[in-house]
Amino acid sequence: MKRLLVLILLLNFSFVKAQNQEVLSSDRPGQALSSSVVGNHVFQIQTGIDFSNENSNFLPSSYFRYGLSERFEINSGFIFSGSNFAENLSSLSIGARYLVSNSNNKMQSSFQFSYDVKAEENSGQLVYILGNSFNEKLSYTANLGINFTDNLSLANTFYVFNITYSINNKIGLFAENFGTLFSSNYQFNYDTGVYYLLNNNFQLDAVIGDNDGFFIGAGFTWRVQPKNNY
């Protein structure tokens, strides 16, 4: 663990400073993680609430991201569950995301590692994220990940494939398929939704789909940039 922390610090201090991207890049709405990182000294909160029809559960959640450089961010999130609002804390994760490719490239790839201190199983997660654009309006994001337990045994593997269409520079639609891989309990789930950029630093979103039961959700993303970037 100490060697891993030293490696992360060395990578962090070796990055070249660049300008943060003009418009925020959010993991909301949907299941796919964005291949982008938030940017140097940028703080971003992604929050919302889902409702699952299968067990009548409300699932409020928030995810916090902070950029230590243009290629490296730390993040943390929580999810509540229960038929009553915010009844049980079911997930509390800490993690980091590292951008492998250049932030100006059309195709971007990154790795996200997280550890859930509240989960009874599947407490660790490693995800490879790939994002690319077919053209100015149509893009895709693919996630391929593994969940593992505290003793580093493999729990399962999973995927997400997201297609996003930008109607204009403020409104976009998406559809995605997600589930598990290489498992007898193979899952095939889907959702679709919309996002609306009020400005470059604030986004509203809504989603509807099926994940072992019908669910709907809505939320927002808010980005706070360093003063010298405004």
Side-chain angles (χ1 to χ4, degrees):
M1 179 61 71
K2 290 182 179 179
R3 291 181 179 178
L4 177 60
L5 291 174
V6 170
L7 178 59
I8 290 173
L9 289 173
L10 288 174
L11 287 171
N12 180 44
F13 286 113
S14 66
F15 300 144
V16 178
K17 185 176 180 181
Q19 293 296 319
N20 296 326
Q21 57 192 1
E22 181 181 356
V23 179
L24 67 82
S25 177
S26 178
D27 298 326
R28 294 189 58 88
Q31 311 301 315
L33 298 177
S34 167
S35 59
S36 300
V37 297
V38 292
N40 194 30
H41 300 311
V42 172
F43 172 75
Q44 184 165 299
I45 178 173
Q46 304 166 180
T47 191
I49 182 170
D50 292 343
F51 175 77
S52 173
N53 184 60
E54 181 184 15
N55 47 24
S56 299
N57 260 4
F58 290 95
L59 301 168
S61 64
S62 288
Y63 194 59
F64 307 93
R65 305 169 62 185
Y66 182 76
L68 297 179
S69 76
E70 285 300 314
R71 289 180 180 260
F72 185 73
E73 72 173 56
I74 54 175
N75 43 62
S76 179
F78 62 81
I79 302 173
F80 285 94
S81 64
S83 55
N84 295 321
F85 185 81
E87 183 177 11
N88 301 307
L89 179 60
S90 58
S91 174
L92 178 60
S93 66
I94 54 174
R97 191 173 309 179
Y98 170 57
L99 181 65
V100 178
S101 58
N102 189 295
S103 59
N104 295 322
N105 288 353
K106 179 181 177 182
M107 179 181 290
Q108 288 189 350
S109 60
S110 58
F111 284 97
Q112 165 75 28
F113 173 79
S114 61
Y115 182 80
D116 196 329
V117 299
K118 284 292 293 183
E120 296 180 1
E121 298 179 352
N122 307 348
S123 53
Q125 186 178 92
L126 179 64
V127 187
Y128 173 70
I129 310 166
L130 176 66
N132 197 7
S133 300
F134 295 111
N135 51 50
E136 291 184 356
K137 290 186 173 294
L138 191 63
S139 62
Y140 72 85
T141 301
N143 293 181
L144 183 62
I146 58 173
N147 288 313
F148 50 89
T149 60
D150 280 338
N151 60 8
L152 299 183
S153 61
L154 178 65
N156 60 45
T157 57
F158 64 92
Y159 73 95
V160 186
F161 187 75
N162 175 297
I163 292 285
T164 298
Y165 178 76
S166 300
I167 297 175
N168 52 43
N169 60 357
K170 288 188 175 295
I171 303 174
L173 305 172
F174 82 93
E176 63 184 5
N177 167 241
F178 58 97
T180 56
L181 291 170
F182 314 120
S183 170
S184 58
N185 297 321
Y186 174 77
Q187 297 178 0
F188 183 88
N189 306 308
Y190 59 88
D191 58 23
T192 185
V194 60
Y195 67 84
Y196 175 70
L197 279 166
L198 290 177
N199 54 56
N200 288 349
N201 296 308
F202 196 88
Q203 172 186 290
L204 298 174
D205 63 69
V207 63
I208 183 173
D210 181 89
N211 184 6
D212 290 334
F214 171 78
F215 73 93
I216 57 173
F220 68 87
T221 300
W222 178 39
R223 180 176 69 168
V224 180
Q225 299 191 75
K227 290 183 179 180
N228 59 358
N229 285 345
Y230 286 100

